[in-house]
Amino acid sequence: MDLKILILQILNEQDALTIIETQEKISVMDLLFKGGFMMIPILLLFIITIYILIERILVINKESKSPKNFTDEIIKRINNNDINGAKLICDDTNNPIARMILKGLNKIENSLKNIETSIENVGKIEIYNLEKNLSLLATISGAAPMMGFLGTVTGMIQAFISIAQEEGAVSPKLLSSGIYEAMITTATGLFVGIVAYLAYNYLVSRVEKLIHRMEYSTIEFIETLQSKR
């Protein structure tokens, strides 16, 4: 009896090792393919998220570049009545702040009210360009988890249909495989949603910092013009 029990234990251990080895062979890509058709739009949303994140970072980094003491140099030129010199500095800098101030310099002969209006109009365009596609990121952060839940629901329905069609005793393997395959879409959707949410908040914070700099520089510019009149 003891020998039979030992043999059975060895066989059970071998079966357990075989199961573990089989599970270890399941790669991430295999899991993704088992998620069903809803994985396709979720993965597309992930690709769009990464593209927007990289593209916006490059744009914001480019637009944030500004020479040291740029605003101070512009104010210095204005105080010295060197308007053309101030325009040349803005042309060489070519960022949102420079384009807004350049618009004001081109309207230097007009009233302060007209100058402020012109600067505000340029500022609205610059902010629109900076915030481009950020709303799409916000949408993805909410849509991806919902699509994941939808994929899970449809997967569970298919799993229960397979169970209902099974004759005799239901195999635990059939039940468990159907459930874990359905849950893959939820996990993937949540992952994509979290990435999109973090990317959105990061980019919004970067844009807000740049907008604050734009407002501060243009206020200094307007105040300088007021002191000259």
Side-chain angles (χ1 to χ4, degrees), residues 199-218:
Y200 171 78
N201 282 283
Y202 170 73
L203 294 174
V204 166
S205 65
R206 292 285 307 275
V207 170
E208 286 179 349
K209 288 180 181 178
L210 183 52
I211 291 174
H212 177 73
R213 286 175 51 197
M214 292 162 59
E215 291 175 346
Y216 180 79
S217 297
T218 52

Side-chain angles (χ1 to χ4, degrees), residues 128-139:
Y128 173 80
N129 291 331
L130 290 172
E131 294 179 342
K132 183 179 178 182
N133 291 328
L134 292 189
S135 59
L136 180 57
L137 272 184
T139 302

Side-chain angles (χ1 to χ4, degrees), residues 70-173:
F70 167 77
T71 306
D72 294 338
E73 187 64 27
I74 293 294
I75 291 173
K76 180 181 177 182
R77 296 296 178 95
I78 294 173
N79 288 330
N80 294 331
N81 295 320
D82 186 10
I83 304 301
N84 290 329
K87 290 180 179 180
L88 287 174
I89 294 174
C90 292
D91 285 331
D92 292 338
T93 305
N94 193 28
N95 63 18
I97 298 173
R99 288 190 286 269
M100 291 169 68
I101 292 178
L102 180 61
K103 188 67 174 181
L105 291 171
N106 290 331
K107 301 280 186 177
I108 197 73
E109 301 298 331
N110 295 350
S111 65
L112 284 175
K113 184 65 177 177
N114 289 337
I115 294 174
E116 289 179 7
T117 302
S118 299
I119 291 175
E120 287 176 2
N121 291 335
V122 175
K124 289 177 182 178
I125 296 172
E126 296 294 342
I127 292 172
Y128 173 80
N129 291 331
L130 290 172
E131 294 179 342
K132 183 179 178 182
N133 291 328
L134 292 189
S135 59
L136 180 57
L137 272 184
T139 302
I140 292 174
S141 68
M146 297 302 293
M147 293 177 70
F149 292 141
L150 177 60
T152 295
V153 171
T154 56
M156 292 293 288
I157 292 171
Q158 292 174 354
F160 283 117
I161 290 174
S162 299
I163 292 170
Q165 293 174 346
E166 189 76 10
E167 295 181 359
V170 177
S171 169
K173 182 179 180 181

